[in-house]
Amino acid sequence: AGPVTRVTKVTIGKRVIGYGGEGDTDRLPMAIAATPAGGSWLAWLGTDGRVHLGRLDCQDRLTGTPTSFTLEERLTQGALAIPDALGIARQLAEALETAHDLGIIHRDLKPANILVTAQGDATLLDFGVALGPGAGDLPAIRGFTPEYASPGVLAGGEPTPSDDLFSLACVAYRMLGGHRAFGAVTAREAAATGNRPASPGHLSAAQ
């Protein structure tokens, strides 16, 4: 298992450049990460764009784990605890509120576009297909993932902030239930057959 301690400080002494794992020829910026217990880990920026913590093995190869994961990676282990899921959902809602206040629609909110640290801090990624002010004259680009898209978007409608919120609800359902809200079909297909997501079994009626 990789390090699970919370990093409290990252310092750079002399400039150190290391290499990645076996077969990785990219040079990686490195630093020293201090831990609350007074120990330290090597910290480096991986070729995946994420900060990793670890050590050099006996063959001078970097070994460790990233300090953050996509929500998709985390959900392969199953549903999240209710407080964790609600905390991430709240952060995503705040991120969407900020974007929507600026006139920006994300269009592709899904677990693979959400980065989560071991402490539960969430970051919404990939605004590459987002719509912003003045985007009406741009050529149409498919910017959604069917499993998390609203019926309106799936029908070809113009994306709105409400569609982002629908996607957020789908993500929240998966965090709590451990599976997609509509299973193997899309929301539009489910609506056509009257199929409504069941409440995740471990939640009470009040929750």
Side-chain angles (χ1 to χ4, degrees):
V4 294
T5 186
R6 179 191 290 270
V7 175
T8 57
K9 185 179 181 182
V10 174
T11 59
I12 299 178
K14 62 181 181 179
R15 193 170 185 81
V16 179
I17 299 292
Y19 285 87
E22 185 175 6
D24 186 353
T25 59
D26 289 321
R27 291 161 66 84
L28 306 174
M30 295 175 60
I32 301 298
T35 69
S40 63
W41 295 96
L42 282 178
W44 66 90
L45 182 64
T47 54
D48 57 2
R50 291 184 285 186
V51 174
H52 293 242
L53 290 179
R55 301 188 184 280
L56 287 173
D57 65 14
C58 59
Q59 295 178 305
D60 289 337
R61 290 193 305 246
L62 291 170
T63 61
T65 58
T67 59
S68 57
F69 301 85
T70 66
L71 184 57
E72 181 67 42
E73 292 170 324
R74 172 59 184 83
L75 289 173
T76 61
Q77 304 171 29
L80 304 185
I82 293 175
D84 295 339
L86 294 182
I88 291 172
R90 175 186 56 77
Q91 293 175 71
L92 295 174
E94 291 173 351
L96 286 179
E97 180 180 27
T98 298
H100 293 164
D101 285 347
L102 294 172
I104 299 170
I105 302 171
H106 188 280
R107 299 179 71 200
D108 196 23
L109 197 155
K110 59 184 178 182
N113 284 341
I114 299 163
L115 201 63
V116 181
T117 70
Q119 290 74 42
D121 298 321
T123 302
L124 182 57
L125 307 175
D126 196 358
F127 280 78
V129 295
L131 289 180
D137 296 332
L138 296 177
I141 300 175
R142 171 172 164 167
F144 62 88
T145 299
E147 293 83 359
Y148 296 92
S150 71
V153 166
L154 290 165
E158 185 71 18
T160 69
S162 295
D163 296 310
D164 276 349
L165 296 180
F166 183 93
S167 298
L168 174 58
C170 291
V171 170
Y173 184 97
R174 186 172 172 198
M175 287 193 292
L176 291 167
H179 56 86
R180 291 198 293 265
F182 303 101
V185 301
T186 67
R188 189 181 185 204
E189 292 167 337
T193 59
N195 178 22
R196 296 174 61 87
S199 175
H202 64 287
L203 298 182
S204 67
Q207 290 171 324

